[in-house]
């Protein structure tokens, strides 16, 4: 029997499947007037207990080769701990183990990479790169996650007293850009898993490396060329003096990178010069898997100074780099310039000749600033295995900040220009790849546009990489003209750029008529925002053990015991560690502590500057009277004395800050269980309240007041970037 009546279409109770789908959709209430949706950062997934399978987070603007390097490093760590141990087994048991399935190879290693949104493209690019490796297999997966948005009133500030509301949104499925991607790459005896889960806090930012300042002699108070900068590597740094040496006719040096580098390569030998010059440099033990010892540069006895600065190339060019790669790497180039160059121009020619002969072993692109008493040069060595390089001369009234390094407009007939040098293919290769069109409307050939890293808001000098762009730093430096060493030190230790990542500070003045022994470097043993500049001359007899190499933050230190040969040096106080402690105390409450610490540091430096005149006058008189060794003894005595006083100052500051923090109830222990930072792009300790020095302006913390309170309540702040 039929029902008395049928339900009308669209009314409740219908069997229409479309109506069932509609009935399951629960609409959210309208947003109140004057309010908006604010995306809330997703919580990071819990890191595995084992450090051998930690997640690697990738942001939309992460350095491509930095991600590759971290994946390789994670894989190496994972493989190291998966092979079964043969410790305690007798010979027969070890032979038996070899005959079992897998033998001593162990299980597959694993690394996991996380990214979201626009970062998916970057993860896919990394996956494509690993697909080209003979020991990798890539598997791609996708998934969606549910995330929470906040409803806030326009202009609402934290702590404004408004009650929070929340609504749930679901991340849509492909092909929308918020879809997340998971990739798995398997190696022949190991596996690499690249996973992209939805993370609102993408870890953006370039790889850490050093920066450099150049000031032409027309802009300085005494007519000298000035160079300053730092090295931004995790590794600790130490000061080392290398004497001049004569070498046998068949002597060679080893250059290149190993299979541990971010782009695996091989070491090889090239001829050594018959004579190498004396030089002073800051050394370190690790960057992107390159073999130690490494250097950013320094100053040689001819008054030639060199600084190495990162300068990432476009991904297409980096992907062309052959594996294993073979070439002279950035530290090799800096060291060879210091060993062989008599002028800045000759230093550039040396780099060019080495690039033309061997090419560069790269981590993604690099620049060098080379300067002498008359001029400076920027040299950009490109990734890709094509032996591409370009160099631009800096004028006497120029200010240049490399952070990262850059070269812009460049003449196509550079061979006829005294102010430019380059590889023969620098223009033709860009044309072949479609990166510059000589018939495309008259736009000049631009090195950065053709070969530089591409991405949202990335420009050669106006922003996209750091909180302070190169242009902003150049303008701030020029505004201080006429520059003095004191003013350039102020610029180098600017808290907007000097943080935990700034491994040391350095300032050099170069002018005519200075004896080789009297060439002077002002060097801060740790980030200069928390450590004093100490004067060192090329004529000193050596460096005190406290400023030499130690195991603190040295590669391999956590996996091995001390070589007895270094036991007394390691027993000494390490200046780098001492002034790192100053940084950590000071930046726990920078508004309160930074001004006082800065006054103490500059007061110490003022005392040194007041003494430098009579020290150099005395040494010069001794040299003129044939007493060079006595002059060197005087220089050594003064530098070592000031270094010892610097250590005393560091101890005093640490003791005072430690007492103040504890006696005033400001000590706070860590709230998490991970002592290391979250990886590339994660914020490190700094004194820039409310901002992150390593993020451009549009990626700064959303709630600076919150961060200010957090910094005042914690000793060390580590937080994810938004």
């Amino acid at each position: 029997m039929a029902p008395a009546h049928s339900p009308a279409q669209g009314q409740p109770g219908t069997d229409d499947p479309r109506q069932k789908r509609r009935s399951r959709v629960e609409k959210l209430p309208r947003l109140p007037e004057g309010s908006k949706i604010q995306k809330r950062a997703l919580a990071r997934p819990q890191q595995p207990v084992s450090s051998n399978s930690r997640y690697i987070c990738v942001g939309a603007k992460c350095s491509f080769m930095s991600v590759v390097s971290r994946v390789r490093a994670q894989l190496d760590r994972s493989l190291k701990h998966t092979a079964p141990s043969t410790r305690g087994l007798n010979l027969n048991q070890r032979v038996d183990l070899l005959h079992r399935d897998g033998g001593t190879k162990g299980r597959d290693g694993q690394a996991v990479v996380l990214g979201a949104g626009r970062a998916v493209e970057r993860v896919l690019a990394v996956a494509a790169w690993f697909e080209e490796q003979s020991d990798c297999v890539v598997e791609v997966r996708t998934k969606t996650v549910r995330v929470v948005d906040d409803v806030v009133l326009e202009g609402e500030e934290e702590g404004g007293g408004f009650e929070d509301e929340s609504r749930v949104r679901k991340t849509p499925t492909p092909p929308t850009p918020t879809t997340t991607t998971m990739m798995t790459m398997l190696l022949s005896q190991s596996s690499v898993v690249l996973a992209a889960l939805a993370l609102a806090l993408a870890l953006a930012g370039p790889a850490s490396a050093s920066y450099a300042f150049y000031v032409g002699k027309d802009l300085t108070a005494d007519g000298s060329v000035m160079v300053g900068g730092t090295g931004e590597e995790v590794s600790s740094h130490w000061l080392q003096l290398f004497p001049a040496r004569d070498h046998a006719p068949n002597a060679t040096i080893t250059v290149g990178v190993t299979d541990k580098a971010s782009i695996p390569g091989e070491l090889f030998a090239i001829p050594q010069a018959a004579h190498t010059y004396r030089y002073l440099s800051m050394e370190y033990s690790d960057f992107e898997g390159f073999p130690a010892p490494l250097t950013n540069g320094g100053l040689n006895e001819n008054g030639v100074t060199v600084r190495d600065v990162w300068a990432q190339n476009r991904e297409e060019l980096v992907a062309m780099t052959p594996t294993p790669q073979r070439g002279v790497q950035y530290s090799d180039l800096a060291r060879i310039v210091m060993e062989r160059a008599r002028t800045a121009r000759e230093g550039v020619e040396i780099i060019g000749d080495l690039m033309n002969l061997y090419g560069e072993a790269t981590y993604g692109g690099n620049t060098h600033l080379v300067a002498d008493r008359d001029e400076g040069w920027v040299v950009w060595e490109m990734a890709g295995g094509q032996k591409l390089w370009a160099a631009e001369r800096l004028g006497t009234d120029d200010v240049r900040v490399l952070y990262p390094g850059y070269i812009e407009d460049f003449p196509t007939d550079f061979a006829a220009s005294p102010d430019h040098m380059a590889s023969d293919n620098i223009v033709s290769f860009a044309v072949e790849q479609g990166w510059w069109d000589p018939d495309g409307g008259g736009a000049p050939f631009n090195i950065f546009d053709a070969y530089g890293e591409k991405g949202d808001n990335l420009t050669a000098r106006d922003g996209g990489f750091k909180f302070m762009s190169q242009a902003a730093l150049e303008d701030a430096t020029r505004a201080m003209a006429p520059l003095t060493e004191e003013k350039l030190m102020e610029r180098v230790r600017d808290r907007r750029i000097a943080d935990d990542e700034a491994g040391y500070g350095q300032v050099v003045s170069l002018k005519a008529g200075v004896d080789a022994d009297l060439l002077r470097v002002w060097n801060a043993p740790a980030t200069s925002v928390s450590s004093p500049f100490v004067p060192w001359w090329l004529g000193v007899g050596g460096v005190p053990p406290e400023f030499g190499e130690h195991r603190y933050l040295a590669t391999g230190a956590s996996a091995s015991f001390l070589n007895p040969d270094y036991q007394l040096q390691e027993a000494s106080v390490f200046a780098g560690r001492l002034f790192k402690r100053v940084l950590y105390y000071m930046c726990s409450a920078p508004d309160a502590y930074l001004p006082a610490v800065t006054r103490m540091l500059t007061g110490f430096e003022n005392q040194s500057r007041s003494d430098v005149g009579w020290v150099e006058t005395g040494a010069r008189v001794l040299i003129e009277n044939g007493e060079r060794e006595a002059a060197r003894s005087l220089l050594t005595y003064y530098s070592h004395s000031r270094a010892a006083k610097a250590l005393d100052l560091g101890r005093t500051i640490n003791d005072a800050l430690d007492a103040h923090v504890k006696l005033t109830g400001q000590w706070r222990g860590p709230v998490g269980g991970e002592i290391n930072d979250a990886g590339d792009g994660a914020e490190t300790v700094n004194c820039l309240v409310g901002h992150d020095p390593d993020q451009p302006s549009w990626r700064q913390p959303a709630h600076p007041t919150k961060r200010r309170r957090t910094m005042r309540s914690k000793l060390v702040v580590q937080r994810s970037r938004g």
Side-chain angles (χ1 to χ4, degrees):
M1 181 175 177
H5 66 276
S6 298
Q9 185 177 8
Q11 292 181 349
T14 181
D15 291 331
D16 185 347
R18 292 173 298 176
Q19 177 60 29
K20 289 184 177 180
R21 285 196 297 269
R22 285 194 296 269
S23 67
R24 289 196 297 268
V25 177
E26 181 180 346
K27 290 187 176 181
L28 296 172
R30 287 181 177 273
L31 295 179
E33 185 176 354
S35 62
K36 64 178 182 180
I37 293 179
Q38 178 175 289
K39 292 184 178 181
R40 182 188 298 181
L42 295 179
R44 293 175 179 273
Q46 183 68 36
Q47 288 281 8
V49 175
S50 172
S51 62
N52 302 321
S53 57
R54 297 189 59 78
Y55 299 140
I56 298 171
C57 296
V58 177
K61 291 163 59 179
C62 267
S63 165
F64 175 80
M65 290 316 304
S66 174
V67 178
V68 172
S69 172
R70 292 165 61 200
V71 171
R72 282 291 186 189
Q74 177 62 55
L75 179 62
D76 290 342
R77 285 193 298 270
S78 185
L79 288 176
K80 186 183 298 183
H81 294 87
T82 58
S85 174
T86 59
R87 185 174 183 179
L89 301 181
N90 59 37
L91 179 60
N92 290 334
Q93 290 171 321
R94 296 185 185 192
V95 172
D96 180 63
L97 180 61
L98 289 173
H99 289 289
R100 298 179 192 172
D101 291 341
T104 58
K105 293 189 299 184
R107 301 181 303 276
D108 289 345
Q110 178 172 293
V112 180
V113 177
L114 309 176
R118 290 182 299 171
V120 170
E121 181 180 354
R122 180 55 51 92
V123 178
L124 288 170
V126 174
W129 190 90
F130 273 101
E131 277 190 324
E132 298 298 322
Q133 310 304 305
S134 59
D135 55 355
C136 297
V137 177
V138 178
E139 177 184 343
V140 178
R141 305 174 188 171
T142 64
K143 67 174 294 183
T144 60
V145 296
R146 296 176 68 85
V147 295
V148 176
D149 290 339
D150 295 320
V151 177
V152 298
L153 294 179
E154 295 281 1
E156 177 183 349
E157 296 181 357
E158 183 189 18
F162 295 100
E163 183 177 346
D164 288 335
E165 297 180 85
S166 294
R167 55 169 54 196
V168 177
R169 62 180 168 89
K170 186 173 182 180
T171 305
T173 54
T176 58
T178 50
T179 300
T180 57
T181 304
M182 183 173 185
M183 288 166 286
T184 305
M185 299 187 299
L186 302 177
L187 299 174
S188 57
Q189 294 186 13
S190 57
S191 65
V192 181
V193 182
L194 288 181
L197 302 178
L199 294 179
L201 292 178
L203 299 182
S208 297
S210 56
Y211 66 88
F213 289 80
Y214 169 86
V215 183
K217 59 185 180 180
D218 289 350
L219 299 177
T220 62
D222 62 355
S224 63
V225 168
M226 289 189 180
V227 173
T230 188
E232 296 201 348
E233 298 83 23
V234 176
S235 165
S236 61
H237 298 76
W238 66 91
L239 189 64
Q240 189 164 346
L241 178 67
F242 294 84
R245 293 183 59 189
D246 292 317
H247 303 276
N250 60 346
T252 61
I253 56 174
T254 300
V255 298
V257 299
T258 69
D259 58 359
K260 303 298 183 184
S262 54
I263 303 179
E266 56 189 18
L267 299 173
F268 63 102
I270 65 173
Q272 176 60 290
H275 179 80
T276 53
Y277 299 115
R278 176 184 14 152
Y279 65 95
L280 186 69
S281 80
M282 285 295 275
E283 304 282 306
Y284 55 100
S285 66
D286 179 71
F287 182 72
E288 299 289 353
F290 283 30
L294 299 165
T295 181
N296 302 122
L299 175 67
N300 77 5
E301 63 180 284
N302 298 313
V304 176
T305 187
V306 58
R307 297 215 55 78
D308 137 72
V309 183
W310 61 280
Q312 190 74 14
N313 290 132
R314 61 191 305 153
E315 288 184 9
E316 304 97 313
L317 184 60
V318 176
M320 295 178 191
T321 306
T323 53
Q325 60 173 328
R326 182 182 174 91
V328 185
Q329 42 105 330
Y330 74 93
S331 176
D332 297 331
L333 293 171
R335 196 178 302 280
I336 291 171
V337 168
M338 290 187 290
E339 289 181 339
R340 304 181 186 182
R342 292 165 295 182
T343 65
R345 182 177 291 270
E346 186 176 40
V348 176
E349 292 169 347
I350 289 171
I351 292 176
D353 289 343
L354 291 169
M355 287 291 296
N356 292 336
L357 281 172
Y358 309 110
E360 188 205 22
T362 187
Y363 59 86
N366 198 80
T367 55
H368 287 87
L369 171 63
V370 187
D372 61 17
R373 67 191 187 190
D374 295 317
E375 61 186 11
W377 287 79
V378 177
V379 191
W380 195 343
E381 305 96 18
M382 314 293 177
Q386 306 299 317
K387 300 182 179 179
L388 294 160
W389 65 276
E392 174 187 35
R393 181 178 179 271
L394 304 177
T396 58
D397 60 348
D398 279 338
V399 172
R400 178 65 65 90
V401 176
L402 306 182
Y403 195 60
Y406 69 92
I407 299 174
E408 294 187 283
D409 289 351
F410 202 82
T412 55
D413 59 344
F414 57 86
S417 169
D419 299 329
H420 300 86
M421 295 185 233
S423 57
D424 292 340
N425 60 345
I426 193 68
V427 177
S428 60
F429 189 80
V431 174
E432 292 169 6
Q433 298 299 315
W435 299 339
W436 181 63
D437 182 1
D439 302 319
F445 180 55
N446 184 292
I447 296 292
F448 180 86
D449 289 346
Y451 293 107
E453 184 178 11
K454 300 296 177 280
D456 293 341
N457 301 312
L458 295 183
T459 64
R461 64 182 296 268
D462 294 316
F465 297 96
K466 299 283 189 176
F467 176 66
M468 289 290 288
S469 68
Q470 300 99 309
L473 288 169
E474 288 168 359
D475 292 344
T477 304
R478 185 178 291 275
M480 302 175 83
L483 267 292
T484 61
E485 290 177 330
E486 180 180 6
K487 290 180 179 179
L488 190 53
M489 289 177 194
E490 178 184 343
R491 192 82 288 126
V492 170
R493 69 158 41 108
D494 189 328
R495 64 172 167 173
R496 294 174 295 180
I497 58 175
D499 58 4
D500 196 17
E501 296 181 24
Y504 64 92
Q506 200 169 87
V507 169
V508 178
S509 295
L510 304 169
K511 55 186 174 182
V514 178
D515 186 271
D517 283 341
L518 296 178
L519 291 168
R520 183 180 65 245
V521 177
W522 291 90
N523 201 86
T527 175
S528 57
V529 76
S530 67
S531 62
F533 287 92
V534 176
W536 299 92
W537 288 270
L538 266 290
V540 299
V543 175
E546 293 83 358
F547 291 77
E549 183 178 6
H550 285 70
R551 279 163 58 86
Y552 174 69
L553 294 182
T555 299
S558 65
S560 63
F561 292 103
L562 179 69
N563 180 347
D565 187 37
Y566 279 75
Q567 68 185 68
L568 290 180
Q569 179 152 315
E570 186 64 19
S572 66
V573 172
F574 180 40
R577 172 65 177 131
L578 181 71
F579 288 103
K580 281 276 193 178
R581 292 182 59 212
V582 173
L583 175 75
Y584 299 153
Y585 276 126
M586 179 177 66
C587 291
S588 68
D591 288 343
Y593 300 144
L594 178 63
V597 171
T598 301
R599 285 194 297 270
M600 285 187 276
L601 298 179
T602 55
F604 177 89
E605 291 154 2
N606 289 338
Q607 290 179 345
S608 299
R609 267 190 296 273
S610 67
D611 291 341
V612 161
W614 67 259
V615 172
E616 291 185 348
T617 298
R620 191 178 303 110
V621 170
L622 289 170
I623 292 171
E624 291 170 353
N625 285 275
E627 298 289 340
R628 184 170 292 275
E629 290 305 315
R632 289 176 174 175
S633 295
L634 172 61
L635 298 173
T636 302
Y637 173 79
Y638 186 79
S639 286
H640 284 222
S641 297
R642 291 309 286 170
K645 290 292 186 182
L647 295 176
D648 290 342
L649 175 64
R651 294 187 188 98
T652 299
I653 296 175
N654 277 320
D655 289 346
L657 293 179
D658 178 81
H660 190 272
V661 167
K662 292 175 178 176
L663 293 176
T664 57
Q666 297 184 58
W667 182 274
R668 295 292 184 273
V671 296
E674 178 55 66
I675 194 171
N676 298 315
D677 78 348
D680 186 32
E683 186 173 2
T684 54
V685 177
N686 66 80
C687 285
L688 186 60
V689 177
H691 299 282
D692 181 350
D694 296 307
Q695 289 283 21
S697 58
W698 57 87
R699 295 188 61 84
Q700 290 300 309
H703 301 291
T705 55
K706 178 179 179 181
R707 183 172 182 272
R708 184 177 295 113
R709 288 197 296 272
T710 302
M711 292 188 72
R712 286 174 176 168
S713 64
K714 293 182 182 178
L715 178 61
V716 177
V717 176
Q718 293 179 331
R719 64 187 292 275
S720 301
R721 289 178 173 177

